[in-house]
Amino acid sequence: MPRLTDTLPQGKLFHAPRSPLLIFNSRHLLWLSLLVLVAVAVWFWLGIGIKVNKILCTYNQRPCPPAITEELNALMGKNILTLKTKSLEKKLTSADISLDKAVISIQLTDTLQVVLTTRQTTITMAPATASAQLLIDDKLVAFQLQDP
């Protein structure tokens, strides 16, 4: 029985016929996968479909006051991936001195959760003749002047 190499001309290698469906070789697949990866990265960077659509805000385990809600509603439609949560937390705590902590986190793909907690009163000071009270927290920082 003759071998396959015996029937080929000298120095020629036998190649199986290519299927017309196999138009991509490994180099083409590498470039195609790289192109898809870049397209997905640009899609995420531009934030197409990844925008703030819902804001859940709590203020001491209750709904946020309207003034804070209005400020947070300005974030609706913004890109959730490029949102600077740390600077927003600082902005909220500096705007209201009674706030102890503001925690902003991203939930799922389009929800922003804002949890605000106020300082707890440790000392209440008031002169005997005045009706106003000065509230002081556990760090001995006065944070609110309150009318009883």
Side-chain angles (χ1 to χ4, degrees):
M1 178 160 178
R3 293 185 305 188
L4 184 59
T5 55
D6 294 339
T7 60
L8 292 175
Q10 191 66 11
K12 299 283 184 177
L13 296 175
F14 176 75
H15 291 289
R18 279 185 104 171
S19 167
L21 298 176
L22 296 176
I23 58 171
F24 293 114
N25 61 19
S26 61
R27 190 177 333 145
H28 288 114
L29 288 176
L30 178 67
W31 281 108
L32 182 64
S33 61
L34 187 63
L35 180 68
V36 168
L37 183 67
V38 167
V40 168
V42 167
W43 184 74
F44 273 105
W45 185 70
L46 291 176
I48 301 169
I50 306 173
K51 299 188 184 294
V52 177
N53 291 325
K54 187 176 182 182
I55 298 175
L56 303 174
C57 183
T58 57
Y59 187 86
N60 287 338
Q61 287 106 21
R62 288 180 291 223
C64 283
I68 294 174
T69 306
E70 286 177 17
E71 187 167 334
L72 292 174
N73 282 339
L75 300 173
M76 294 292 264
K78 302 268 183 174
N79 184 343
I80 206 161
L81 297 176
T82 60
L83 194 65
K84 296 180 176 149
T85 57
K86 294 295 179 193
S87 64
L88 186 59
E89 288 172 1
K90 285 181 183 180
K91 183 179 177 184
L92 287 172
T93 54
S94 66
D96 187 359
I97 197 165
S98 67
L99 283 179
D100 181 36
K101 187 169 47 170
V103 177
I104 299 174
S105 60
I106 298 170
Q107 290 185 339
L108 298 176
T109 58
D110 65 346
T111 304
L112 195 66
Q113 182 177 16
V114 180
V115 179
L116 305 172
T117 54
T118 57
R119 297 178 183 193
Q120 299 299 315
T121 304
T122 304
I123 301 172
T124 304
M125 296 177 60
T129 58
S131 62
Q133 296 178 343
L134 185 63
L135 303 179
I136 301 173
D137 66 1
D138 59 345
K139 297 175 186 136
L140 301 179
V141 176
F143 65 90
Q144 189 172 1
L145 185 63
Q146 183 177 29
D147 290 326

